[in-house]
């Protein structure tokens, strides 16, 4: 994967295949290589672009602070560097949030949007939601990224047949820089573009795992507030759906893209 200086930082990215541009944006603590199942599936028919988000993987890890607007500008700058004026954008978790930010900041760039286990805001309102977020921050600060990964892996991949996924997740997650990870999580806490989602006219697909952290009902509510949005639920899946259920996920996204 090549590296280029984009929006003031060095970004690690890959562009494979030919056809309509299809940009995949990974989630918090993840990296571009977690889209491997999707790159192999879509690159025969699309120009598939993946990259390590600022502070993640092999991209530069500046001290911060980070903001969702900065993350979105990084994505736009990468597309500009590649000579791409607009793309289908798929984002999981924090990557979906970046996609929402990009869609409201630069509507012409987002040809269609797929938000996977993601919402257009992260504003904890209940005590339990605040506790969950601050527990994660404290674990990372006091015990490190590997301990956090070891706690998350069984929740994301609980099946007996998912041992390899758990191990891969722990190794990749543990390689994150603690400072950059904390800067990223601070960028999303309190963020939201809910007051602007009615402006998003690009066809939008919410992909929701039935056992995701956030309830399906919440995503259904956002769908009703967007002019061209709909929801697909993937059963027996958790937050890392593209890794856990790649065949079903790829089929759902391919069907959506074929329609738009």
């Amino acid at each position: 994967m090549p590296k280029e200086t984009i929006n003031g930082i060095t970004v690690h990215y890959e562009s494979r295949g030919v056809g309509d541009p299809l940009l995949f944006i990974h989630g918090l603590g993840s990296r571009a290589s977690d889209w491997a199942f999707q790159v192999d599936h879509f690159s025969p028919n699309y120009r598939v672009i993946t990259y390590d988000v600022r502070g993640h993987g092999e991209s530069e890890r500046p001290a911060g602070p980070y903001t969702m607007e900065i993350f979105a500008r990084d994505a736009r700058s990468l597309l500009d560097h590649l000579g791409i004026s607009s793309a289908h954008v798929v984002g999981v978790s924090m990557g979906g949030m970046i996609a929402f930010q990009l869609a409201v900041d630069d509507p012409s760039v987002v040809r269609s949007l797929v938000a996977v286990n993601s919402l257009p805001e992260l504003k904890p309102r209940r005590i339990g939601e605040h506790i969950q977020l601050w527990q994660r921050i404290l674990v990372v600060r006091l015990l490190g990224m590997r301990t956090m990964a070891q706690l998350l892996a069984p929740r994301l991949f609980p099946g007996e047949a998912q041992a390899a996924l758990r191990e891969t997740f722990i190794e990749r997650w543990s390689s994150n820089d603690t400072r950059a990870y904390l800067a990223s999580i601070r960028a999303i806490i309190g963020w939201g573009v809910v007051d602007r989602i009615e402006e998003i006219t690009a066809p939008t697909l919410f992909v929701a795992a039935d056992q995701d952290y956030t309830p399906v009902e919440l995503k259904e509510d956002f769908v009703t507030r967007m002019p061209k949005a709909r929801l697909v639920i993937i059963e027996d899946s958790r937050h890392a759906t593209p890794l856990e259920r790649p065949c079903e996920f790829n089929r759902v996204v391919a069907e959506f893209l074929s329609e738009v």
Side-chain angles (χ1 to χ4, degrees):
M1 294 174 68
K3 290 184 178 182
E4 293 291 343
T5 300
I6 295 165
N7 197 29
I9 65 165
T10 302
V11 173
H12 192 238
Y13 74 92
E14 179 182 31
S15 176
R16 189 194 302 182
V18 294
D20 287 345
L22 177 57
L23 176 68
F24 287 94
I25 309 177
H26 66 74
L28 178 68
S30 183
R31 57 178 56 210
S33 54
D34 285 337
W35 292 113
F37 293 124
Q38 285 67 50
V39 172
D40 289 343
H41 182 84
F42 288 99
S43 57
N45 298 303
Y46 294 88
R47 183 181 181 185
V48 177
I49 302 105
T50 57
Y51 72 105
D52 291 335
V53 171
R54 172 186 296 253
H56 292 70
E58 309 256 345
S59 287
E60 194 170 339
R61 302 173 177 184
Y66 302 168
T67 67
M68 297 305 291
E69 290 82 3
I70 289 174
F71 286 141
R73 283 200 299 273
D74 290 344
R76 171 64 187 267
S77 298
L78 175 60
L79 293 176
D80 288 344
H81 170 76
L82 296 173
I84 297 170
S85 60
S86 66
H88 303 288
V89 182
V90 181
V92 60
S93 192
M94 185 184 78
M97 299 176 191
I98 296 171
F100 278 117
Q101 186 71 56
L102 183 62
V104 298
D105 288 349
D106 291 293
S108 64
V109 174
V110 180
R111 193 177 303 185
S112 71
L113 192 162
V114 180
V116 189
N117 295 329
S118 187
L119 298 171
E121 69 172 10
L122 184 63
K123 294 183 177 180
R125 293 181 172 87
R126 300 189 182 102
I127 293 177
E129 294 171 343
H130 284 279
I131 291 173
Q132 286 180 351
L133 287 169
W134 285 106
Q135 276 181 337
R136 180 174 291 205
I137 290 172
L138 286 173
V139 168
V140 169
R141 275 182 169 175
L142 299 176
L143 302 175
M145 295 301 299
R146 178 168 289 274
T147 299
M148 187 74 250
Q150 291 169 337
L151 292 172
L152 286 174
R155 296 175 60 191
L156 296 174
F157 310 107
E160 291 183 10
Q162 295 177 324
L165 282 173
R166 288 193 293 273
E167 291 303 316
T168 298
F169 173 84
I170 290 170
E171 290 308 312
R172 289 179 179 174
W173 188 279
S174 300
S175 68
N176 277 294
D177 177 77
T178 300
R179 184 179 61 177
Y181 176 86
L182 292 172
S184 299
I185 199 169
R186 290 191 190 101
I188 63 176
I189 295 176
W191 164 86
V193 293
V194 170
D195 58 337
R196 300 177 64 190
I197 59 173
E198 291 86 354
E199 303 171 18
I200 300 176
T201 58
T204 300
L205 176 68
F206 283 80
V207 178
D210 64 335
Q211 299 175 48
D212 188 27
Y213 300 137
T214 53
V216 170
E217 292 77 13
L218 189 56
K219 289 144 190 165
E220 289 173 335
D221 176 62
F222 289 123
V223 166
T224 64
R225 299 166 64 179
M226 298 178 67
K228 295 182 181 178
R230 57 191 173 94
L231 171 71
V232 171
I233 300 169
I234 295 185
E235 303 290 339
D236 191 25
S237 181
R238 282 142 287 270
H239 194 62
T241 301
L243 277 168
E244 188 186 21
R245 294 282 183 270
C247 294
E248 189 169 359
F249 173 76
N250 291 347
R251 177 184 58 78
V252 165
V253 174
E255 289 175 356
F256 171 73
L257 292 175
S258 70
E259 295 172 5
V260 300

Coordinates of all heavy atoms in Angstrom, one line a residue, residues 4 27 29 36-37 46 50 62-63 74 83 90 113 124 160 167 174 192 196 211-212 232 234:
E4 N 1.1 8.7 1.0 CA 1.2 10.0 0.4 C 0.9 11.0 1.5 O 0.2 10.7 2.5 CB 0.2 10.2 -0.7 CG 0.5 9.4 -2.0 CD 1.7 9.8 -2.8 OE1 2.1 11.0 -2.5 OE2 2.2 9.0 -3.6
G27 N -13.4 1.6 11.3 CA -13.8 2.2 12.6 C -12.7 2.5 13.6 O -11.5 2.3 13.3
G29 N -10.0 2.2 16.2 CA -9.1 1.2 16.6 C -8.8 0.1 15.5 O -8.1 -0.8 15.7
A36 N -10.4 -6.5 4.0 CA -9.9 -7.4 3.0 C -11.0 -8.2 2.3 O -10.9 -8.4 1.1 CB -8.9 -8.4 3.7
F37 N -12.0 -8.7 3.1 CA -13.0 -9.4 2.5 C -13.8 -8.6 1.4 O -14.3 -9.1 0.4 CB -14.0 -9.9 3.5 CG -13.5 -11.0 4.4 CD1 -13.5 -10.8 5.8 CD2 -12.9 -12.1 4.0 CE1 -13.0 -11.7 6.7 CE2 -12.4 -13.1 4.8 CZ -12.4 -12.9 6.2
Y46 N -15.4 -2.5 -9.1 CA -15.3 -1.1 -8.7 C -13.9 -0.8 -8.5 O -13.0 -1.7 -8.3 CB -16.1 -1.0 -7.3 CG -17.6 -1.1 -7.4 CD1 -18.1 -2.4 -7.3 CD2 -18.4 0.0 -7.6 CE1 -19.5 -2.5 -7.3 CE2 -19.8 -0.2 -7.7 CZ -20.3 -1.4 -7.6 OH -21.7 -1.6 -7.6
T50 N -9.2 1.9 0.1 CA -9.2 1.8 1.5 C -8.0 2.6 2.1 O -7.0 2.8 1.4 CB -9.1 0.3 2.0 OG1 -7.8 -0.2 1.4 CG2 -10.2 -0.5 1.5
P62 N -0.4 12.0 14.4 CA -0.2 13.3 15.1 C -0.8 13.3 16.5 O -1.8 12.6 16.7 CB -0.8 14.3 14.2 CG -1.8 13.5 13.4 CD -1.2 12.2 13.2
A63 N -0.3 14.2 17.3 CA -0.8 14.2 18.7 C -2.3 14.6 18.9 O -2.9 14.3 19.8 CB 0.1 15.1 19.5
D74 N -9.6 14.6 5.6 CA -8.6 13.6 5.2 C -9.2 12.8 4.0 O -8.5 12.5 3.0 CB -8.2 12.7 6.3 CG -7.4 13.5 7.4 OD1 -6.9 14.6 7.1 OD2 -7.3 12.9 8.5
G83 N -7.7 11.8 -7.9 CA -8.4 12.3 -9.1 C -9.9 11.9 -9.1 O -10.5 11.8 -10.2
V90 N -18.6 3.8 2.1 CA -19.0 2.8 3.1 C -18.2 3.0 4.4 O -17.0 3.0 4.3 CB -18.9 1.4 2.6 CG1 -19.3 0.4 3.6 CG2 -19.6 1.2 1.2
L113 N -24.2 6.4 0.3 CA -23.6 6.3 1.7 C -24.1 5.0 2.3 O -25.3 4.7 2.3 CB -24.0 7.5 2.5 CG -23.3 7.7 3.9 CD1 -23.5 9.2 4.3 CD2 -23.8 6.8 4.9
P124 N -23.8 10.7 24.4 CA -24.4 9.9 25.5 C -25.3 10.7 26.3 O -25.0 11.8 26.7 CB -23.1 9.5 26.3 CG -22.1 10.5 25.9 CD -22.4 10.9 24.5
E160 N -17.4 -20.2 19.0 CA -16.3 -21.1 19.1 C -15.5 -21.1 17.8 O -14.3 -21.2 17.8 CB -16.8 -22.5 19.4 CG -17.4 -22.6 20.8 CD -17.8 -24.1 21.1 OE1 -17.4 -25.0 20.3 OE2 -18.4 -24.3 22.1
E167 N -8.2 -13.6 17.7 CA -6.7 -13.4 17.8 C -6.3 -12.3 16.8 O -5.4 -11.5 17.2 CB -6.0 -14.7 17.4 CG -6.2 -15.8 18.5 CD -5.7 -15.4 19.9 OE1 -4.6 -14.8 19.9 OE2 -6.4 -15.6 20.9
S174 N -4.1 -4.1 19.3 CA -3.0 -3.8 20.3 C -1.9 -3.0 19.7 O -1.1 -2.3 20.4 CB -2.3 -5.1 20.8 OG -3.3 -5.9 21.4
G192 N -22.1 15.2 16.5 CA -23.3 14.9 15.8 C -23.6 15.8 14.7 O -23.3 17.0 14.7
R196 N -28.6 18.0 10.5 CA -28.3 18.3 9.1 C -28.6 17.1 8.2 O -28.4 17.1 7.0 CB -26.9 18.8 8.9 CG -26.6 20.1 9.6 CD -25.1 20.4 9.5 NE -24.8 20.7 8.1 CZ -23.6 20.9 7.6 NH1 -22.5 20.8 8.4 NH2 -23.3 21.2 6.3
Q211 N -27.4 -7.4 17.0 CA -26.9 -7.4 18.3 C -25.8 -6.3 18.5 O -24.8 -6.5 19.3 CB -26.3 -8.8 18.7 CG -27.3 -9.9 18.7 CD -26.7 -11.3 18.8 OE1 -25.9 -11.5 19.8 NE2 -27.1 -12.2 18.0
D212 N -25.9 -5.3 17.8 CA -25.0 -4.1 17.9 C -25.2 -3.4 19.2 O -26.2 -3.6 19.9 CB -25.3 -3.1 16.7 CG -24.2 -2.1 16.6 OD1 -23.1 -2.3 17.1 OD2 -24.6 -1.0 16.1
V232 N -31.3 -2.2 6.5 CA -31.2 -3.6 6.4 C -30.6 -4.2 7.7 O -29.6 -3.7 8.1 CB -30.4 -4.1 5.2 CG1 -30.1 -5.6 5.2 CG2 -31.0 -3.7 3.9
I234 N -28.9 -7.3 9.7 CA -28.2 -8.6 9.5 C -28.3 -9.4 10.9 O -27.8 -8.9 11.9 CB -26.7 -8.4 9.1 CG1 -26.7 -7.7 7.7 CG2 -25.9 -9.7 9.2 CD1 -25.3 -7.6 7.1

